[in-house]
Structure formats: structure tokens, C-alpha cells
Amino acid sequence: MTRATGPVCSDEGGDDPSDGGKGGAGQVGIATRTRAKPKKPSQFKVLMLNDDYTPMEFVVMVLKRYFRMDMEQATRVMLHVHQRGVGVCGVFPYEIAETKVNQVMDFARANQHPLQCTLEKD
């Protein structure tokens, strides 16, 4: 492959097809491209609500399984839900938060527990 040598840009008019052949002698243009920064997706808190029927062990298992918490963290969150009535399981983009809520609700229903999980904009 042969590489062309010579000036990359010329100030001489007439050669640049972009100026319509008018000979833009002495004019230098700078091409700029603005990059739009992608917006961070809105974040949503996944909340677990306390009830008087779901066993604490089941709640710990849910927190470990669906929110990847270790035993200590899951126990801490479970106790917070038990004592305060509600607790945050995690913060995620909407689609992930919605999926986690549905997974927890389906799992609780399948195991005949009234555990409630919901999401709220962070």
C-alpha cells in the first residue's frame, strides 16, 4: 500500500469541492463535533414492606437471592424492615428495579407469603 505525501490541507482556492469552486483562499474552517453526554437513567429504590406473616428467614433468603446481599447485610436490612415497616433493598434503573420487584413478588406468592415489594423514584 502506497501512502500519499504532501499537504493535507491547502489554502489555494478552487481545489476544495466543499466551497463550491469559489476559491476560499485564506479561509480556514474548523470542524467541531459536539458530543452529547448520555443522560444517566433515573434511579429507583426497591422497597420491601413489613408484614406480620412472612418469616424473617424467608426475607433474608429473598435479599440474598435477588439483591446479592451477604448474610450480615441481608439480616440488617430484614431487621430494619421489621422494626421500621419499610426498607431499601437497592437502587437501580427503572427496568431493573421493576424486574426485581416482579421477581420478589412472584417468588413470595409461589411460596404463599404476603411479602410486598415496590419501587419509588430515588
Side-chain angles (χ1 to χ4, degrees), residues 40-71:
K40 271 190 163 181
S42 297
Q43 298 290 299
F44 289 79
K45 291 187 271 191
V46 175
L47 303 173
M48 188 172 287
L49 307 175
N50 188 40
D51 65 71
D52 294 332
Y53 304 102
T54 305
M56 293 179 174
E57 295 80 15
F58 183 80
V59 174
V60 169
M61 180 175 57
V62 165
L63 292 167
K64 287 172 64 178
R65 178 179 287 188
Y66 295 104
F67 299 96
R68 307 256 186 234
M69 293 184 189
D70 60 26
M71 187 67 166

